[in-house]
Every structure is written in structure tokens, then in C-alpha cells.
Amino acid sequence: MMRKKLVILSMTLLLAGGSIVAADKLMQKVTLLYNNKQSLEDGLLVDDKVYVNIRSLSDSLQAFIQWRGSEKKLIIQKPNVHMFMMNEKRTMFGQVEKGSVQKFLVQAQIDNLNVAITEFKVTITDPNDKETTIDRRSQDDDDFKEFVEKDTFWFSSKLVSYDFKFSGKYKLRFYMEQKNGDSQLISEKVITAK
């Protein structure tokens, strides 16, 4: 009796192990890199096709992503946002001295905006991931309609004073928020402090 149970247990483990190996051969994890940065979620390789969670790539793609299940539609909207920084002398820059305090504003040109938004903001993130908001506009502001009623607009932030305390890369980011949506990264530039 004991021998029979041992044979059944061995066969069960053998079949289960074989199933796991077969499943592993059918579906394999794939590491996703976008601009040499690894995604938080892996993809899957099934029948020589890579499947990824597109929402996990929305920040990398810098786009609005919407799934309409009832229509079986995946909608990707990618507004063009071109940013540059200007110091108080109205000179563009992208590199600063470490430890310097800079007064600057952000100029942004936005086009191909084919979604209704309720807010946009510009932030700067230091090399230690501390984020500071430079400027923002929302639908509660009087001048908001001036910006978003068109598919193309220009935005100039207020003049800010910022301390580039650390050496490294500072990320200047432009976010937009759709109605009933989360804030979405749409554009990113880098300022280097040396």
C-alpha cells in the first residue's frame, strides 16, 4: 500500500513538474528597456510575440493611454511638448554649476493636443528625486481656457529661483491631466549640474 502511494505521488510530482517546465517554455518573461531604463513590469514572450502592459509604459512613451473595452480599442494620444529653460537674461541653458542658484523660467510649445485636459504643470526633480513644482494651471484659473481651447498653445512659467545644490541630472517635467484621469508625464528635459 505504501509503495502504491509512493508511485502515485512520484507520478503526480513528475507531471506537475513537466507542466511547469512546458508552461515556462510557452511563456517566458522579457525584460523591457526604454532608453536604457528598465521598466517596472516585465513583458511576456508567447509564440515569438512580446506582450507588454502598455499602461506601464505610458510615462516612457510620454503619452495618454486609454483602453475602451466595449469597443476593443486602445487609444494612444501623444501631444508634442517642446520645453526650454531661459535665465533672467533670456538666454537658453541646459547646464549649470553645482551649488549655483539660478533664476529661470520654462517656455513650452504644445501642439497636437487632441484630448481635453483639466490641468498641466511643470516640475523639476533633483538627483535625489526631490520634486519641486515650478508652475501649474488648472481649470480653476482664469487664464486656463486661453491655453487649452486650442490644439496648439505656448506657455511661459513664472520666473523661479532654484538652488542646484547637487551635481548630477535635474529632470524638468511637463505633466498634463485628463478629465477623470491621473497626472501624466508628457515631456522631460535634463539640466546637468557639474
Side-chain angles (χ1 to χ4, degrees), residues 87-98:
N87 62 23
E88 56 191 336
K89 295 177 185 175
R90 299 286 183 181
T91 304
M92 291 184 280
F93 69 96
Q95 186 171 324
V96 296
E97 249 183 71
K98 172 194 160 198

Side-chain angles (χ1 to χ4, degrees), residues 146-163:
E146 167 188 328
F147 296 112
V148 298
E149 285 190 341
K150 308 170 216 161
D151 67 347
T152 301
F153 67 93
W154 282 85
F155 171 71
S156 183
S157 76
K158 62 185 176 188
L159 186 67
V160 296
S161 182
Y162 188 81
D163 187 357

